[in-house]
Amino acid sequence: MIVLLALAAAGCSGSASPAPSSTPPAAATSAAAPSSTAPATGTASAPPDWPMYHGDPSHSGLSRSMPNVSGSPRVTESIKLDGAVYASPIAVDGVIVVATENDAVYAFDAQGKQLWHVKVGSPSPAQERACGDIDPLGITGTPIYSAQTGDVYLVAEHNGTVGHDMIALDLHTGKVRWRKGVDLPGPTPAAMQQRGALAITGGRVWVPFGAQAGDCSNYKGRVVGVRLDGTGDPVVYDPSTRRQGGIWNPAGPTVDPAGHLFVVSANGSSFPGDAYDHTNSVLELSPSGQMLDSFAPTDWAQNNQGDVGLGSQGVALVGTKWAVLGGKSGPVYVLRQGHLGGVGGQVSVTNVCLSFGGAAVDGSVVYLPCTDGVRAVRVDSAGKLQVLWHASGSVAGSPVVGGGRVWALDYTAGVLHALDPATGQTRGQVSVGQANRFATPAIYGNLVLVPTLTGVVFVRTS
């Protein structure tokens, strides 16, 4: 169901200037006075862009341009920032953008030189929320860049009257183009968490919302679409559940070549005996936010009751035929693009692993972020899965692929692993520092950009 809703007056802050950072790094320049070395235009030598979560609208996590890795990866820059980095870095036109949980955004060149820095607000401390596992809570979902506007879009949570603002920043200067509240009527803003990556389709930036860790208070999963220029009322889709149904996984919406959004809703408030409410489901939405199709396991209601099932992994698109995803229970489903199948309509299901985060895809092979170690699975021509290999149990981060390697984190030990895509064996590794469990690297040229709990690490592969 689509509902057009006006933003609350408190959320419409126009182009209000960001508060200055109280403790900016010594090398920082403000968005109002960008570094004189910041590039005004792109350079011919800039690598192909990585402008969103896992690099492209389908979130394949695949770089075809990264040079083949010949030696051991090495850290060339370990940059401490003003807060933890949960969002993946993005990189466009020689500019690497990193957002922190302190509501700050930084830009660097490929050598790690800071180009600009802007503080877009004050984050929300834990005491303002009934539950949650991020403190403070600022920018969590991965930003996205639009070539149409030249802007980077992100959502920041702010303190006081807790809420969420979408902010558009100029890529090359960090200047705030506009900002707008995206808390629509219904749920309690402090109960909502914006963890999923942003997506663009249909001339709008799409923002998924779920719950704080612990599923407390009055929250409701939804996807909010805002025009690229920030004007007009947003479009919102939410499952037909009374409550819950969070759309929270860090991969956010996957977008197919037709511009359709694939999102995954988690546990809802309908239990066995209740009508199907599009929770614990894969939902296909049009570029304007209308629901086109859905899939749910036959045990969706029992999964709601046990807080298991789907919700924890984004949809992986394999070619134009298949869609693959796991979840919080163990089954991995293969669905047919163009006909998700409704309740029980999967093409196949295989008990593989608990999968949390974003998968990577290369051809017919999907690399799953399993909690007991990354797995590679192949989808055959009939939509059946074959498990190819299982990496070490500690290497459980959301993987990306490039340079003849699968890159994934042992996030607890703080080690980036370069896995052999044929066997899953570690061919190289490097210490980067502890990261959050959903951390996923970005690939830019011969760099692997790693978000950590203290900042960002540049790992060079050649």
Side-chain angles (χ1 to χ4, degrees):
M1 176 176 68
I2 290 292
V3 184
L4 295 179
L5 295 169
L7 290 169
C12 297
S13 54
S15 57
S17 299
S21 171
S22 57
T23 56
T29 57
S30 71
S35 165
S36 61
T37 61
T41 59
T43 61
S45 60
D49 295 341
W50 191 276
M52 63 193 75
Y53 186 96
H54 277 200
D56 55 42
S58 69
H59 293 170
S60 70
L62 173 65
S63 171
R64 297 190 183 280
S65 62
M66 185 183 216
N68 283 336
V69 176
S70 56
S72 297
R74 64 193 190 282
V75 171
T76 56
E77 299 290 339
S78 183
I79 305 172
K80 186 173 182 179
L81 303 178
D82 67 353
V85 181
Y86 277 57
S88 178
I90 63 172
V92 176
D93 202 17
V95 181
I96 295 164
V97 179
V98 184
T100 78
E101 292 293 346
N102 197 40
D103 275 346
V105 188
Y106 296 81
F108 304 95
D109 67 14
Q111 286 68 50
K113 181 177 180 179
Q114 186 170 290
L115 303 175
W116 52 259
H117 159 243
V118 61
K119 191 83 157 62
V120 297
S122 298
S124 173
Q127 58 264 32
E128 291 185 329
R129 301 181 303 279
C131 63
D133 59 359
I134 304 175
D135 183 24
L137 188 53
I139 302 167
T140 308
T142 298
I144 191 167
Y145 169 78
S146 167
Q148 179 179 333
T149 64
D151 291 341
V152 174
Y153 300 88
L154 56 92
V155 172
E157 181 160 329
H158 57 76
N159 68 356
T161 303
V162 178
H164 304 83
D165 286 352
M166 179 180 286
I167 301 165
L169 302 176
D170 181 274
L171 170 69
H172 290 296
T173 68
K175 180 180 178 180
V176 176
R177 301 277 203 184
W178 55 262
R179 62 190 301 153
K180 189 168 198 168
V182 286
D183 293 300
L184 304 183
T188 304
M192 301 282 276
Q193 184 165 341
Q194 203 292 290
R195 186 186 287 271
L198 277 58
I200 292 177
T201 189
R204 295 180 185 267
V205 185
W206 294 89
V207 186
F209 284 94
Q212 303 291 335
D215 287 5
C216 59
S217 304
N218 178 33
Y219 79 90
K220 196 174 192 292
R222 58 176 32 161
V223 188
V224 177
V226 178
R227 289 177 184 160
L228 290 171
D229 63 3
T231 63
D233 295 338
V235 173
V236 58
Y237 170 82
D238 51 39
S240 55
T241 186
R242 299 184 298 274
R243 181 179 168 271
Q244 301 181 311
I247 298 172
W248 67 268
N249 79 74
T254 302
V255 180
D256 73 4
H260 296 177
L261 298 132
F262 291 80
V263 299
V264 187
S265 61
N267 56 296
S269 55
S270 294
F271 294 156
D274 295 334
Y276 174 55
D277 64 356
H278 296 98
T279 59
N280 248 306
S281 298
V282 177
L283 308 172
E284 181 181 356
L285 309 178
S286 74
S288 60
Q290 297 172 305
M291 192 175 71
L292 303 174
D293 201 358
S294 66
F295 161 78
T298 54
D299 57 353
W300 67 270
Q302 290 84 354
N303 289 341
N304 277 351
Q305 204 166 30
D307 189 11
V308 291
L310 304 181
S312 61
Q313 187 209 303
V315 174
L317 299 180
V318 181
T320 58
K321 192 171 186 179
W322 309 121
V324 177
L325 82 159
K328 297 185 283 186
S329 303
V332 174
Y333 297 90
V334 178
L335 313 177
R336 188 180 300 276
Q337 295 180 43
H339 181 65
L340 296 180
V343 177
Q346 69 270 6
V347 175
S348 69
V349 57
T350 307
N351 198 47
V352 178
C353 69
L354 281 64
S355 184
F356 280 65
V361 180
D362 186 2
S364 62
V365 178
V366 181
Y367 301 95
L368 296 169
C370 298
T371 58
D372 62 346
V374 171
R375 282 177 175 78
V377 298
R378 175 175 285 118
V379 187
D380 70 16
S381 60
K384 304 290 185 182
L385 283 182
Q386 174 193 4
V387 177
L388 303 178
W389 51 255
H390 179 194
S392 168
S394 62
V395 185
S398 297
V400 293
V401 182
R405 297 288 185 265
V406 178
W407 302 93
L409 283 163
D410 175 344
Y411 48 82
T412 302
V415 176
L416 177 68
H417 287 254
L419 306 177
D420 187 322
T423 65
Q425 296 298 308
T426 295
R427 298 304 183 195
Q429 62 185 65
V430 62
S431 295
V432 294
Q434 191 173 6
N436 84 85
R437 68 180 298 193
F438 299 119
T440 190
I443 295 176
Y444 193 54
N446 67 345
L447 287 173
V448 182
L449 304 166
V450 184
T452 74
L453 295 181
T454 59
V456 64
V457 176
F458 289 37
V459 175
R460 206 165 293 274
T461 64
S462 61

